[in-house]
Amino acid sequence: MGPCRVGTRLCDTAYQAPGRLTYPVVFRAHTYFMSSLENRQKFMDNPLHYLKLASPPPVVPVKLAIVGPPKSGKTMLARRLERDHGIVCLSAGEAVRQFMVEFPTSNLTKEMDTHLKAGVTLPDALVVEALEAIMLSQRCQTRGYVLDGYPNTIEQVKLMTELCIIPVQIIELTLSAKEVHWRGTADRHSPDRSLPLHDSAPILDVRLSSYKRNIDVVRSHYQKEHRNWNILEGNRSKWWLNDKCAQLMNEQLKTAQHYLEKRTVGDAASIFGLCVSPDECKNRLGEFSHFCP
């Protein structure tokens, strides 16, 4: 993390990745990496000012999920967040493919391969197991993840909860059926498309109907248990959606970092916004219950 970012107490940490520029500067026996030339110049002008600042807040991984009807822009938004913030974009299909490539001899890969060769849909239990394994990667554990179009059913939600996969913020993109079909038509006639995809009008109707049939139960569950459901209009500009998601991410990080800082020094800390369910809160109450001794 660049010292200039520490000085502003920004919650999101600068990250290093192939193709992403950083600007190092050597001061005494240490090398510091800056996120921009401007920050590097600020540090060089007065390095002691930044070195005397308080320690940066603890690094907290981002945990997001983006759901919505077909053609609502879920994948585009998730990819932009991955590019801008260094988090891992994961869809169910990508998680399965990545797991089968990285663990070709595992029992889970063999079981999934059997289903795929038979031409049947993978059971949700196998998909969630693969998703959990991919989330153990270093980048997911440090930077965080954004789930692209998952979960879609209450069964998937229950399986994820059993494995402690709970997105701290869930973003639902809303889009009318008319707009879904308009975008589908535009995509089918796009000059950039080289291969046919499963987005004909009848297929879009089936996918949209399935989404509407399941999403109400999923929404109700997260609103009741974790209060982490956010609804955004999918027909807004991609820049507006990206800014709103970045704002939600920053709020999530601030809340988690504030809690960790308070607990580190032994102070009372609020758990609001940390996705603690009512049952979990009740089970973890101490002998004084809701009263401070």
Side-chain angles (χ1 to χ4, degrees):
M1 181 187 293
C4 292
R5 294 178 64 89
V6 176
T8 56
R9 298 295 289 176
L10 290 178
C11 292
D12 190 15
T13 56
Y15 74 99
Q16 299 175 354
R20 188 175 180 90
L21 294 177
T22 56
Y23 303 89
V25 57
V26 178
F27 182 72
R28 294 179 178 172
H30 301 281
T31 302
Y32 301 90
F33 294 89
M34 309 298 162
S35 58
S36 67
L37 286 171
E38 180 184 2
N39 283 350
R40 184 170 70 176
Q41 188 59 48
K42 288 181 180 179
F43 179 81
M44 292 172 64
D45 291 341
N46 190 2
L48 293 179
H49 167 73
Y50 296 102
L51 297 180
K52 291 179 180 178
L53 294 173
S55 300
V59 176
V60 178
V62 174
K63 298 180 180 180
L64 291 178
I66 302 176
V67 298
K71 301 298 180 182
S72 58
K74 303 183 295 294
T75 300
M76 180 187 70
L77 181 57
R79 292 297 183 192
R80 285 180 66 89
L81 294 174
E82 179 182 45
R83 182 196 67 188
D84 295 343
H85 302 280
I87 59 181
V88 180
C89 175
L90 285 174
S91 67
E94 288 172 342
V96 169
R97 287 189 290 270
Q98 186 174 341
F99 182 88
M100 296 182 73
V101 169
E102 294 184 5
F103 308 97
T105 60
S106 67
N107 291 332
L108 180 57
T109 295
K110 294 176 182 178
E111 192 172 354
M112 290 191 294
D113 191 53
T114 301
H115 284 83
L116 293 174
K117 288 181 178 178
V120 297
T121 303
L122 286 178
D124 288 332
L126 300 184
V127 174
V128 174
E129 282 188 49
L131 189 64
E132 180 198 25
I134 296 302
M135 285 181 175
L136 294 176
S137 69
Q138 181 181 5
R139 190 173 165 197
C140 280
Q141 292 294 313
T142 55
R143 297 300 311 170
Y145 62 81
V146 52
L147 297 179
D148 176 14
Y150 205 83
N152 287 314
T153 66
I154 191 62
E155 289 76 16
Q156 295 168 355
V157 172
K158 291 178 179 179
L159 290 169
M160 289 172 58
T161 304
E162 289 176 2
L163 296 179
C164 298
I165 304 175
I166 303 175
V168 180
Q169 295 284 0
I170 301 180
I171 300 166
E172 178 188 1
L173 300 179
T174 60
L175 202 65
S176 66
K178 181 179 179 180
E179 183 70 15
V180 168
H181 283 286
W182 186 89
R183 292 187 179 186
T185 302
D187 287 344
R188 288 193 297 272
H189 293 85
S190 173
D192 298 329
R193 172 172 292 191
S194 57
L195 297 173
L197 299 176
H198 296 291
D199 60 354
S200 64
I203 291 178
L204 286 178
D205 280 332
V206 172
R207 292 172 59 191
L208 185 59
S209 176
S210 175
Y211 172 78
K212 290 182 176 180
R213 186 170 57 251
N214 292 290
I215 196 61
D216 289 339
V217 182
V218 176
R219 185 190 303 114
S220 298
H221 171 83
Y222 280 113
Q223 286 176 337
K224 178 183 177 181
E225 293 294 323
H226 305 293
R227 292 184 288 183
N228 59 346
W229 196 271
N230 305 274
I231 299 177
L232 300 180
E233 298 176 7
N235 57 357
R236 302 293 293 266
S237 72
K238 59 184 179 182
W239 299 280
W240 184 88
L241 290 171
N242 192 60
D243 288 345
K244 291 296 290 186
C245 288
Q247 180 182 346
L248 290 172
M249 285 176 50
N250 205 36
E251 291 175 358
Q252 170 196 333
L253 293 174
K254 282 183 178 179
T255 300
Q257 289 169 339
H258 178 74
Y259 174 82
L260 292 175
E261 287 179 331
K262 288 289 187 181
R263 295 301 298 148
T264 299
V265 298
D267 292 343
S270 171
I271 61 173
F272 180 78
L274 297 179
C275 289
V276 179
S277 67
D279 289 340
E280 183 180 1
C281 180
K282 182 178 180 180
N283 293 335
R284 292 194 176 193
L285 288 177
E287 59 179 317
F288 297 102
S289 187
H290 293 284
F291 300 95
C292 292

